[in-house]
Structures are given as structure tokens and as C-alpha cells.
Amino acid sequence: MSWPILYAQLVGVNRHSTSLGKVWLSVLFIFRVMVLVVAAESVWGDEQSDFTCNTLQPGCENVCYDQFFPVSHIRLWCLQLLFVSTPPLLVTMYVAYRNQRDRKRLLEGSGRSSFLSNKSQEEDLDTLKRRRLPIAGALWWTYAFSLLFRLLFEGGFMYALYVVYDGFHMPRLVQCDQWPCPNLVDCFVSRPTEKTIFTVFMTTISSICMVLNMAELSYLVAKAVTR
Amino acid sequence: MPLTPPAEPDPELKMNWASFYAVISGVNRHSTGIGRIWLSVLFIFRILVLVVAAESVWGDEKSGFTCNTQQPGCNSVCYDHFFPISHIRLWALQLILVSTPALLVAMHVAHRRHVDKRIYKLSGRSNPKDLEMIKTQKMKISGALWWTYVISLFFRIGFEVTFMYLFYMIYPGYKMIRLVKCDSYPCPNTVDCFVSRPTEKTVFTVFMLAVSGVCIILNIAEVLFLVGKAYGKHLHTAGESTVGAWIQQKLCS
């Protein structure tokens, strides 16, 4: 999973965010992506190879593993991070569209008034590219929608994790009687305590991110109302 | 089971610590001299050692953990009972948490720069050269930035001590035992389970703890240096004053 590519995309978003947005981005990369790659992936690395069932019946372990772990935690978290990172790109796309439109206007305007020198035109285009747009008007709505989508995706994925795994606790022993297992067999999950610790950690950070998003949304609404 | 050499650390893992380093070392510019030493110690003696050496020592911790039984599941359960969370993961979390207070300082500096730029623009000096100078100048650690810096140092010390205590609670005595006795279900009786590479793990645990202690000492020294410097500056500018007046001045600056 090439997280640096995502990082490069999102660093561009940083410029047009509020301060809370910048804090959210740092929390996302340090406490979620980094922890996922550096720690969590090694904990779940042997989840299938070390899933042992008390039977010699071929195929039983595969079937039981598949029944109790339809989607691995790691994949759910990767998808969650990808979905949660995409709404900010809406904001970048809108800013790029605005810049493009203003550039066209500037070039048309300078074409009509021929006394504008080349150098001042270049300077104007440069300032256009580097300026920071105030969050007002259509950009405000785009930003607010991106925050709403972020909240929806975070909540959705947390709920999905809760539903698929019946809570945030990883059991040590699961009992399985799918065909071809002969009877009810005991199957043992590898590193359940460590997995529970990391699930609780990632869920907590997810909730913190949701709180940051809600705070940012209220701040935007308050700013618009006072204006 | 044949003895296999330890696996090479995952290149993507190295790359992610490298990008973490890029983020954190940006803070270096606004640190004191002791802060820069602390950062170097952190990266060379902790992160690098973790990635290059410790991870290969703990790499086969589960596959090399063998119990004296053929009962399926007994290995997994006993491993989980004695190792609720691996040293490597604890160290990774410790390093991430200990490095993040430095970002508080970076955020404060960015905020101050933003405010300075606004002041410059309002006073009419919106020359691009002046604005560039604001971006590159080194902030003096005074006023509110002093407080942010000192608070970030206290957080660092707090996290370090908390993790050292956690280690002591989970792995009493910081020593890795060679043999553990386990009788959780489904193990039939009390079985002997053998930990892989216990001596090497003890050596690395003690090493990482020692470096952690050195980092705590550096942080305490930095706090004392900052407090001493601020007090000295106050004495120099205000002549004879009480400690109370100094504290009041610090709070209002």
C-alpha cells in the first residue's frame, strides 16, 4: 500500500484548510496511517497462517477462518483511511477550478489592454497560484460537504467494524461447525489480546478525528453566521 | 523446526519511519541545542535500532514460541497469555507518542508566522522579500512559545515514564524469561513453553530502556536550561525582582 502517494496528495489540501483541518490531517497521518503500517500490519500479518483448529480435517481451518473473519481489520482500516481522505480532495479540485477560471479571466483581460507588460502579467499569475482563498461562498459549501462526507465515512466504517466483529473485542477461541469440519471444533485466533488493544486504539483515534471534524464544521457554521 | 535466520526488515516499514523522520526533523530548526541532541539520539539509537536490529530479533517471536504439547491451539493461547502486547509494538507506539509533542511547537511557530505576516501586510510592508524573511527566520523561544515548548517537554517526559512503567507492569523485571509454564484451555496440563531468543531480547530491552533513560535526562536538562535562561534574562532586564514578579511577567508575555 503506497501511503506516500496519498500523503503527497493530501499535503496540497493542507494549504486550503482551517487550523483544525491541519490538526486533523496530522492526527490522520501520525496516529492512524503510521501506526497501521508500523505496528498493526505486523500484528495481523499471521492471522490466517496461525489460525489453528483442533482437527486434522483438510479445509476446515480455511472454512472456519472465512466464516469468522469475512474482512480483515487491516483491510477495513485501509479502506476507511482511503475513503476518509478523499473528500478533502474535492476542496483541492474546486480550488484548482477557481484558479483556472481566474487565470483565464486575467489572460483575457490583459489581452484586451495591451499596455500590460509581460513581467507584471507573470507576477499576477504567480500570486494567483500561490494565494490562499478565503473560505467563503461556493468554497465554504464544498468544504462543509467534504466535512460531512468525512464524518459519514468514519461513522459508517466504525459501525461496519462493530457489526462484522460483534464489538471491538477479539475472542481467543471460536467454535465452528461448518462443513467439512466433522463436529463442533475449537479454533484458536492468533494474538487476540494484541489485536484487541490495537482495535480499541484505532477506534479511539477514529472518534477523536470525528470530534475534530464536528468541531471544524461548527467553527465554519459559526464563522458564516457571524459574517 | 529448522533454525532460520531473522527476516530482513520490510522496506516499506523503513520508508514510513523515514517519512516520519522528515516530518519531525522539520521541528529541529526551532529547538534548543539540547533538543537537537535529543532528536538525534531518538533517531539513531531508538528508531534506527528498532528498525534495523530489534525487529528481526522479535520477528519470529510467535513462530519460534514452542510448547511441549501437540494439542492444537495451546501454543497460540499460551503465547497470548504471556505476551499481551509485543515489545516492538510498545516501542513503536512509545516513539510515535514521544515525538508528537514536538509538533505542538511546530504548529505554534506556524501560527506565529501567520500572525506576523498579517501584521506586516496591515502595516503596508507586503514586499515579497519581507514575507519570505518571515518564513525563514528562526523564532526566538520567548513568550507564549516558551510555554508551549516547556509544556511539550513535560508531555515528552510524561509519555516516556508512562511507557517505562507499562513495560515494567507487563514484563516484570525487564527480563525475558526462557521458560514459561502455562495451563490455559486447551492445554491438557501445565505445559512448558519456550520463548525464542530470550537473551538477545533481554539485551535489546535493557538497551532501549537505557536510551529511554538518557532521553528523559536530556529532556529534564532542557527544561532546566530553558527555565534558567528565562530567569537569567528576567534578572538582566529588570534588575532586582522577586520570583513572583518574574512568574507574573512570564504569564502576561
Side-chain angles (χ1 to χ4, degrees):
Chain A
M1 182 70 224
S2 298
W3 293 110
I5 297 175
L6 184 72
Y7 180 73
Q9 292 289 320
L10 287 178
V11 151
V13 174
N14 220 3
R15 291 189 58 232
H16 311 289
S17 307
T18 62
S19 329
L20 276 169
K22 292 176 188 171
V23 171
W24 172 85
L25 207 68
S26 312
V27 168
L28 187 87
F29 272 100
I30 296 175
F31 291 102
R32 294 174 79 176
V33 177
M34 259 230 91
V35 168
L36 187 78
V37 174
V38 160
E41 279 189 349
S42 29
V43 176
W44 268 267
D46 59 0
E47 55 177 333
Q48 197 181 4
S49 52
D50 265 358
F51 182 79
T52 32
C53 291
N54 190 2
T55 177
L56 286 177
Q57 172 66 44
C60 180
E61 277 180 7
N62 279 6
V63 163
C64 291
Y65 176 81
D66 186 62
Q67 189 200 13
F68 286 99
F69 304 103
V71 182
S72 168
H73 287 69
I74 297 284
R75 258 70 71 187
L76 270 176
W77 286 326
C78 284
L79 281 173
Q80 181 179 14
L81 289 169
L82 283 171
F83 272 86
V84 154
S85 313
T86 359
L89 294 176
L90 279 176
V91 176
T92 326
M93 283 197 273
Y94 177 76
V95 167
Y97 160 74
R98 268 276 281 274
N99 282 346
Q100 171 86 319
R101 196 184 62 185
D102 292 344
R103 252 182 77 227
K104 259 199 194 147
R105 273 201 208 139
L106 193 80
L107 288 169
E108 277 171 16
S110 71
R112 269 185 250 122
S113 50
S114 51
F115 59 83
L116 246 148
S117 74
N118 239 1
K119 194 167 180 231
S120 72
Q121 191 186 72
E122 263 176 42
E123 275 179 18
D124 280 336
L125 285 172
D126 237 358
T127 41
L128 199 85
K129 217 195 279 185
R130 275 197 260 121
R131 74 172 168 182
R132 194 174 167 247
L133 286 167
I135 303 179
L139 182 61
W140 186 95
W141 283 103
T142 314
Y143 203 91
F145 270 115
S146 88
L147 281 171
L148 258 160
F149 275 116
R150 270 187 243 177
L151 275 167
L152 276 168
F153 287 138
E154 292 267 26
F157 273 95
M158 273 174 80
Y159 179 70
L161 190 75
Y162 187 84
V163 161
V164 168
Y165 290 102
D166 222 3
F168 298 120
H169 173 81
M170 179 66 80
R172 194 181 264 190
L173 160 72
V174 291
Q175 298 190 303
C176 166
D177 65 352
Q178 297 281 301
W179 187 89
C181 302
N183 316 295
L184 192 74
V185 294
D186 289 337
C187 293
F188 299 91
V189 179
S190 110
R191 308 179 205 258
T193 315
E194 211 167 354
K195 286 179 181 172
T196 308
I197 292 173
F198 273 97
T199 308
V200 168
F201 178 85
M202 293 294 270
T203 313
T204 315
I205 303 288
S206 214
S207 323
I208 292 174
C209 283
M210 280 177 83
V211 166
L212 282 170
N213 284 334
M214 283 194 273
E216 204 179 351
L217 195 61
S218 347
Y219 165 74
L220 277 181
V221 167
K223 207 165 109 172
V225 159
T226 51
R227 223 184 318 138
Chain B
M1 192 175 136
L3 288 168
T4 48
E8 267 291 302
D10 186 15
E12 204 186 88
L13 215 74
K14 272 186 178 152
M15 189 171 61
N16 274 285
W17 279 116
S19 33
F20 185 66
Y21 172 75
V23 170
I24 297 293
S25 61
V27 181
N28 222 359
R29 292 188 57 233
H30 314 291
S31 306
T32 60
I34 304 178
R36 290 178 197 169
I37 297 173
W38 171 85
L39 206 69
S40 311
V41 168
L42 186 88
F43 279 106
I44 298 173
F45 292 102
R46 294 174 82 176
I47 293 181
L48 209 60
V49 167
L50 186 80
V51 172
V52 162
E55 283 191 347
S56 21
V57 174
W58 268 267
D60 62 356
E61 56 177 334
K62 185 143 196 299
S63 50
F65 182 81
T66 32
C67 292
N68 189 2
T69 179
Q70 284 190 333
Q71 172 65 43
C74 182
N75 261 14
S76 278
V77 164
C78 291
Y79 175 81
D80 183 63
H81 184 257
F82 285 98
F83 303 105
I85 178 166
S86 168
H87 287 67
I88 296 284
R89 255 73 69 183
L90 270 177
W91 283 326
L93 281 175
Q94 181 180 15
L95 289 169
I96 291 173
L97 282 173
V98 153
S99 315
T100 11
L103 292 175
L104 278 177
V105 176
M107 284 197 268
H108 189 125
V109 166
H111 170 75
R112 253 240 197 124
R113 284 216 175 110
H114 183 73
V115 163
D116 284 346
K117 255 193 204 163
R118 274 238 174 108
I119 294 174
Y120 264 51
K121 279 195 183 142
L122 284 171
S123 68
R125 287 185 287 168
S126 54
N127 189 358
K129 221 193 260 182
D130 280 337
L131 296 174
E132 272 301 306
M133 195 190 71
I134 295 179
K135 223 193 259 191
T136 49
Q137 77 178 155
K138 186 180 177 239
M139 287 275 161
K140 277 194 75 187
I141 303 177
S142 57
L145 184 60
W146 186 93
W147 282 102
T148 311
Y149 202 92
V150 170
I151 289 170
S152 85
L153 283 171
F154 276 116
F155 269 115
R156 269 187 233 174
I157 297 171
F159 285 137
E160 293 268 23
V161 171
T162 311
F163 272 91
M164 278 175 84
Y165 178 70
L166 264 171
F167 256 104
Y168 190 78
M169 291 295 291
I170 300 175
Y171 300 105
Y174 299 123
K175 185 168 153 28
M176 183 60 82
I177 21 183
R178 198 178 265 188
L179 160 72
V180 293
K181 287 185 196 277
C182 168
D183 65 353
S184 328
Y185 176 83
C187 304
N189 317 295
T190 304
V191 294
D192 289 338
C193 294
F194 300 89
V195 179
S196 107
R197 309 177 204 264
T199 314
E200 206 168 358
K201 286 179 180 172
T202 308
V203 166
F204 272 98
T205 308
V206 170
F207 176 83
M208 293 294 268
L209 266 162
V211 182
S212 210
V214 166
C215 283
I216 293 179
I217 292 172
L218 282 170
N219 284 331
I220 295 175
E222 203 176 353
V223 170
L224 293 172
F225 167 73
L226 281 174
V227 167
K229 199 168 112 177
Y231 190 60
K233 203 177 2 155
H234 177 77
L235 279 180
H236 178 75
T237 52
E240 290 274 319
S241 353
T242 59
V243 174
W246 171 69
I247 292 174
Q248 193 183 34
Q249 190 237 352
K250 268 266 143 305
L251 284 168
C252 298
S253 59

